[in-house]
Amino acid sequence: MDENAYPEYRWRERGQGESVLLLHGLMGQIDHWESSVQTLGEISRAIALELPIFHPALPEASIAELRRYVRSFLKALEIPRAVVGGNSLGGHVALELTLTHPERVSGLILVGSSGLFERGYTRGVPHRPSSEYVREKMREIFYDPTLVTPAWVEEVRRAVTAPSSAMRVLRFARDAKHHKLEERLPHICVPTLLVWGKEDRITPPEVAQRFHALIPDSRLVFLAHCGHVPMLERPDTFNSVVRAW
């Protein structure tokens, strides 16, 4: 597809120097990286990019298409190489970019990434899920369930209720499930940081340990009292670990 036909890029950034590109998950938002952009922007050019998961101009609901989108973004901003990080589905996209275009990636940060195993929250969703149902499913993402705000619940409920967006969610979830990377992970040749919640129920700790075993130059850090989204649940500790690395 012609890169000029892609959805308009939406991102936030702070700082100068080496670029650090951060990618959110399937139901994530660029706001979820706000603390990381502010902290990492003190030592680098920190960028949070919105993935066009629900945008109709994205021609295919797949990891490969999001990888092409991210690559075109780097090209548009004239960023030759970047440290690329991602949470959940965003980590999967970061992995695919690293494996397909290693010349574009100088380092990798994986946070509750899919690519080996993910216990998704799209299975068995009722045709018209209630807010309470969505709230309970979303609370599985966190160690501290109070982080699930009413506004976020309503946004996700709309996404899994509206036919067009619900279909996109299912297609991305299925592609992530079938797009396994186990055999390709030993070919990653950049320094990799794995930051995982010890209480992650979506991609459990053993998934992090498997990533660590398969990626040659990797470091694994577990955060206690933390679920699937460490940059939201333990932002200060998460940012300190990433900054030090």
Side-chain angles (χ1 to χ4, degrees), residues 161-231:
T161 300
S164 59
S165 56
M167 185 58 67
R168 287 228 158 202
V169 170
L170 289 172
R171 286 174 177 168
F172 273 117
R174 286 170 183 163
D175 192 57
K177 181 178 180 180
H178 296 295
H179 190 268
K180 298 302 183 187
L181 300 174
E182 187 157 3
E183 294 182 358
R184 299 169 66 196
L185 293 178
H187 299 294
I188 292 176
C189 56
V190 296
T192 301
L193 175 65
L194 304 161
V195 186
W196 233 261
K198 239 178 179 177
E199 286 73 34
D200 189 337
R201 287 178 282 180
I202 307 301
T203 48
E206 55 266 30
V207 177
Q209 292 166 343
R210 186 62 179 156
F211 271 120
H212 183 40
L214 290 169
I215 299 175
D217 184 8
S218 62
R219 180 188 175 202
L220 172 58
V221 178
F222 282 116
L223 303 187
H225 308 300
C226 183
H228 187 55
V229 195
M231 71 281 191

Side-chain angles (χ1 to χ4, degrees), residues 2-228:
D2 182 359
E3 291 176 1
N4 294 325
Y6 270 134
E8 182 180 352
Y9 303 115
R10 294 187 67 248
W11 76 96
R12 294 182 182 174
E13 68 172 283
R14 182 190 181 195
Q16 297 179 337
E18 182 179 14
S19 296
V20 180
L21 179 62
L22 303 169
L23 308 173
H24 60 75
L26 181 60
M27 293 296 182
Q29 306 165 343
I30 56 174
D31 292 354
H32 295 171
W33 292 110
E34 186 63 31
S35 174
S36 298
V37 168
Q38 294 302 313
T39 299
L40 299 179
E42 297 172 1
I43 59 169
S44 64
R45 182 185 183 186
I47 304 168
L49 173 65
E50 181 178 282
L51 297 174
I53 288 169
F54 300 110
H55 201 294
L58 193 74
E60 180 181 85
S62 70
I63 302 295
E65 195 61 55
L66 289 177
R67 180 255 299 166
R68 284 188 281 270
Y69 181 82
V70 172
R71 181 172 178 264
S72 73
F73 173 77
L74 292 172
K75 183 179 178 181
L77 266 65
E78 299 182 344
I79 299 173
R81 297 188 82 203
V83 174
V84 182
N87 172 239
S88 198
L89 181 76
H92 206 148
V93 177
L95 281 163
E96 180 62 21
L97 181 70
T98 304
L99 288 163
T100 308
H101 301 288
E103 75 284 356
R104 287 287 191 179
V105 180
S106 57
L108 186 58
I109 303 168
L110 300 178
V111 188
S113 177
S114 58
L116 287 177
F117 171 84
E118 182 178 24
R119 185 176 290 118
Y121 48 89
T122 58
R123 182 182 301 173
V125 178
H127 181 61
R128 297 192 64 82
S130 66
S131 295
E132 184 58 31
Y133 176 88
V134 173
R135 183 181 300 109
E136 289 307 307
K137 296 298 286 184
M138 290 179 67
R139 284 180 172 177
E140 296 178 7
I141 298 170
F142 295 95
Y143 177 79
D144 177 6
T146 64
L147 291 170
V148 179
T149 64
W152 195 11
V153 169
E154 180 57 23
E155 181 178 337
V156 172
R157 189 195 66 79
R158 287 198 304 268
V160 297
T161 300
S164 59
S165 56
M167 185 58 67
R168 287 228 158 202
V169 170
L170 289 172
R171 286 174 177 168
F172 273 117
R174 286 170 183 163
D175 192 57
K177 181 178 180 180
H178 296 295
H179 190 268
K180 298 302 183 187
L181 300 174
E182 187 157 3
E183 294 182 358
R184 299 169 66 196
L185 293 178
H187 299 294
I188 292 176
C189 56
V190 296
T192 301
L193 175 65
L194 304 161
V195 186
W196 233 261
K198 239 178 179 177
E199 286 73 34
D200 189 337
R201 287 178 282 180
I202 307 301
T203 48
E206 55 266 30
V207 177
Q209 292 166 343
R210 186 62 179 156
F211 271 120
H212 183 40
L214 290 169
I215 299 175
D217 184 8
S218 62
R219 180 188 175 202
L220 172 58
V221 178
F222 282 116
L223 303 187
H225 308 300
C226 183
H228 187 55

